[in-house]
Amino acid sequence: MNLAFLSATDLGRALAQGEFTSEALVSELLGRIQTYNPKLNAFVEVYGEPALLAARESDRRRSRNQTRGPLDGIPFAAKDLFDVEGHPTLAGSKALAATAAAQSATAVRRLLAEGMVLLGKTHTVEFAYGSWGTNPSCGTPINPRDPLVQRVPGGSSSGSGVAVAAGLVPVALGTDTGGSVRSPSALCGVIGMKTSLGLIGRGGVQPLALVFDAVGPMTRSVEDAALIQAALQGEDPDDPSTFGVPRSNSLVDLDKGISGLTLRYPSMESLKSAEPGVLERFKETLADLEAMGAVLDEVPLPRPLEAYATLTANITTVEAWNRYQHLVEKEPSLVDPEIATRMSRGKTMSIADYLGYLEQRRVMQTEFHRYFAGANAILLPSSPITAKPMEGVHTTNAPFGLFTRLANLMDLASLSIPMGDAEGLPTAVQIMVRRFADPMAYRIARALEVQRGGLFTPPRGYEQPHRAVAQNALYAGFP
């Protein structure tokens, strides 16, 4: 049995049936991290002994019939924007003081309360401000999808995408300001959700632009992502965006199918910047959804994708500059020069500019609401390109935001799922739904996952178990 690529849902079922222990599972994944992380650079920190202790505690609860739920004993990782008690949050930067967090982020605490086991923290683009996934300051994770060429992982939740794809952990937390969950999910071939703002608290998460920042799960199955989102939701005393927001059951109607749903997509002309292989997989996905009973509806967007992407970037830049100006202008500055250059655009933007951007957003949201009328979801490729070779990309403009920022600007939820490879590299489709309609995105994705017999495939070279887990280790029972 290869524990590394079982879904969190299947792992939970197997644990419940006594097929192996959480300690055996955690030991296996820690062994994989020890072997592969020097090559992949997914993790900033690995919590080996604490993770094993937490796994043993989970096994003891199970032996006493005190299991906390289906996630008890399942490992996860968190992007290095999430506070973890007793550990510094460096946000991929050398410019922040390495001060230990007094308590863990709300999202981390929620998963720990479910009995999940935190294996460590994953790399991020510095201050989450970039979508190639590169980080010259603290190290760039390597996309596991190409055994011969070092390729970008996508960002900014780069380490989380790599760790999930390579079978180092079944679940990881990311954040999404303009595509930072969806871009690495697309390039690494995993599932990633930009959740509705207000459903999941951001307390204890290093911000980039609070007007857009959203916490989301990265997994290898749709059911896993829905299950994790259900565990994360709820009011957060440290995040006013969650106040008064009712929980939405992301598992409701998960297997109801899509017959009769209206799925809208923009004109192919507006997607012309996408690579031919991406467009081909997108058209195949549309055809599959239509064959499954959905009503496909091609309607041109109210504005070019560039308009939404540019406005999102401007608002993000103002907020990022306001938050990190003191670190960029400090002498000597420890912020990566390219990140500093991107942020410094905010120096030229006044409060009047910012208020103007917000007014433009209001107008765009109003017209987009009319565009969405009569549809259950909007479909769009997650990325216009597949993962590119690492060399030289850090200082070049990344194209991912052209397709992803729309969801953040319009306050939509957006789920990225694999839609097949192009020339051996993953492509992905976004399922964008209205704010708080997250369960609809999962329902549509799940239908495609079932129809295709799964969406995730392990990357070449990582399929085999790290080591032969001894039979007595798997079936030893509980301590």
Side-chain angles (χ1 to χ4, degrees):
M1 182 184 296
N2 187 353
L3 304 184
F5 290 106
L6 288 179
S7 69
T9 304
D10 286 341
L11 288 169
R13 291 172 183 144
L15 285 169
Q17 293 166 8
E19 295 182 20
F20 49 81
T21 64
S22 178
E23 182 179 2
L25 170 61
V26 168
S27 296
E28 171 69 8
L29 296 186
L30 288 174
R32 286 180 66 86
I33 292 170
Q34 185 177 25
T35 297
Y36 294 123
N37 198 59
K39 173 185 176 181
L40 296 174
N41 198 37
F43 281 86
V44 179
E45 291 185 307
V46 179
Y47 309 141
E49 191 56 36
L52 287 168
L53 289 173
R56 291 171 194 142
E57 282 298 315
S58 174
D59 291 333
R60 291 189 185 99
R61 285 194 297 273
R62 197 173 303 279
S63 70
R64 298 166 184 160
N65 293 318
Q66 297 173 342
T67 304
R68 296 175 181 174
L71 292 170
D72 202 338
I74 305 298
F76 76 104
K79 181 180 183 178
D80 190 27
L81 295 185
F82 292 81
D83 285 347
V84 172
E85 183 178 350
H87 298 268
T89 301
L90 299 179
S93 180
K94 294 181 178 177
L96 292 180
T99 304
Q103 71 172 3
S104 296
T106 302
V108 172
R109 295 203 310 272
R110 289 247 162 91
L111 296 188
L112 293 176
E114 294 289 324
M116 294 191 74
V117 178
L118 181 60
L119 296 193
K121 292 219 277 188
T122 53
H123 276 288
T124 175
V125 174
E126 188 166 11
F127 301 125
Y129 200 54
S131 52
W132 285 117
T134 52
N135 187 328
S137 295
C138 297
T140 298
I142 307 300
N143 194 319
R145 290 291 170 178
D146 191 332
L148 301 177
V149 178
Q150 289 192 344
R151 294 182 181 271
V152 295
S156 64
S157 304
S158 49
S160 289
V162 170
V164 172
L168 307 185
V169 68
V171 172
L173 293 177
T175 62
D176 193 308
T177 305
S180 287
V181 162
R182 289 162 289 154
S183 292
S185 293
L187 269 59
C188 293
V190 301
I191 286 92
M193 181 64 158
K194 183 266 168 201
T195 58
S196 292
L197 185 62
L199 282 182
I200 299 175
R202 300 168 296 177
V205 180
Q206 186 76 18
L208 176 62
L210 282 173
V211 70
F212 297 136
D213 294 346
V215 171
M218 300 171 75
T219 66
R220 293 190 294 265
S221 83
V222 174
E223 186 176 11
D224 283 2
L227 185 63
I228 295 297
Q229 178 160 340
L232 289 170
Q233 289 178 173
E235 190 168 288
D236 178 357
D238 295 318
D239 184 359
S241 76
T242 65
F243 295 174
V245 176
R247 295 172 66 99
S248 66
N249 186 349
S250 49
L251 292 162
V252 70
D253 294 336
L254 187 63
D255 289 303
K256 192 173 181 179
I258 60 172
S259 180
L261 297 183
T262 297
L263 308 181
R264 189 161 292 160
Y265 61 97
S267 65
M268 289 299 164
E269 174 64 22
S270 66
L271 306 179
K272 62 185 178 182
S273 62
E275 294 175 339
V278 173
L279 280 181
E280 188 62 30
R281 297 293 85 75
F282 184 60
K283 292 174 183 176
E284 290 172 358
T285 300
L286 295 179
D288 280 354
L289 292 167
E290 188 169 37
M292 294 160 62
V295 177
L296 274 293
D297 185 21
E298 180 178 338
V299 181
L301 290 166
R303 300 180 188 232
L305 284 166
E306 289 83 357
Y308 303 115
T310 298
L311 183 57
T312 310
N314 287 342
I315 294 173
T316 300
T317 299
V318 173
E319 293 216 6
W321 177 250
N322 179 68
R323 188 168 302 280
Y324 296 111
Q325 174 184 359
H326 67 291
L327 296 176
V328 172
E329 294 188 329
K330 184 179 180 180
E331 292 292 344
S333 177
L334 297 179
V335 178
D336 174 73
E338 176 58 28
I339 300 296
T341 297
R342 292 176 204 166
M343 284 190 177
S344 293
R345 287 182 55 245
K347 188 188 300 187
T348 67
M349 298 174 178
S350 67
I351 185 64
D353 292 328
Y354 184 68
L355 293 175
Y357 299 150
L358 295 182
E359 175 60 17
Q360 290 177 51
R361 184 192 189 202
R362 185 190 67 80
V363 170
M364 288 184 183
Q365 285 183 326
T366 300
E367 65 186 18
F368 199 84
H369 179 72
R370 292 193 293 268
Y371 172 79
F372 213 139
N376 298 101
I378 308 295
L379 305 178
L380 200 67
S382 302
S383 168
I385 63 173
T386 55
K388 299 306 166 196
M390 191 81 67
E391 188 174 358
V393 301
H394 182 62
T395 56
T396 62
N397 291 329
F400 308 108
L402 182 62
F403 286 5
T404 56
R405 291 174 187 164
L406 171 65
N408 303 84
L409 188 71
M410 296 296 106
D411 258 343
L412 308 175
S414 183
L415 177 63
S416 177
I417 60 172
M419 62 177 182
D421 286 0
E423 297 183 358
L425 295 170
T427 69
V429 60
Q430 291 180 84
I431 303 166
M432 295 186 291
V433 296
R434 294 175 180 85
R435 189 179 183 189
F436 304 137
D438 302 44
M440 177 60 70
Y442 287 119
R443 173 181 166 184
I444 296 166
R446 175 64 176 163
L448 190 65
E449 184 177 47
V450 170
Q451 192 270 344
R452 291 187 170 182
L455 298 171
F456 172 83
T457 56
R460 287 175 295 163
Y462 297 89
E463 306 97 325
Q464 298 303 314
H466 164 66
R467 54 182 168 77
V469 180
Q471 189 84 351
N472 62 353
L474 281 174
Y475 299 94
F478 304 107

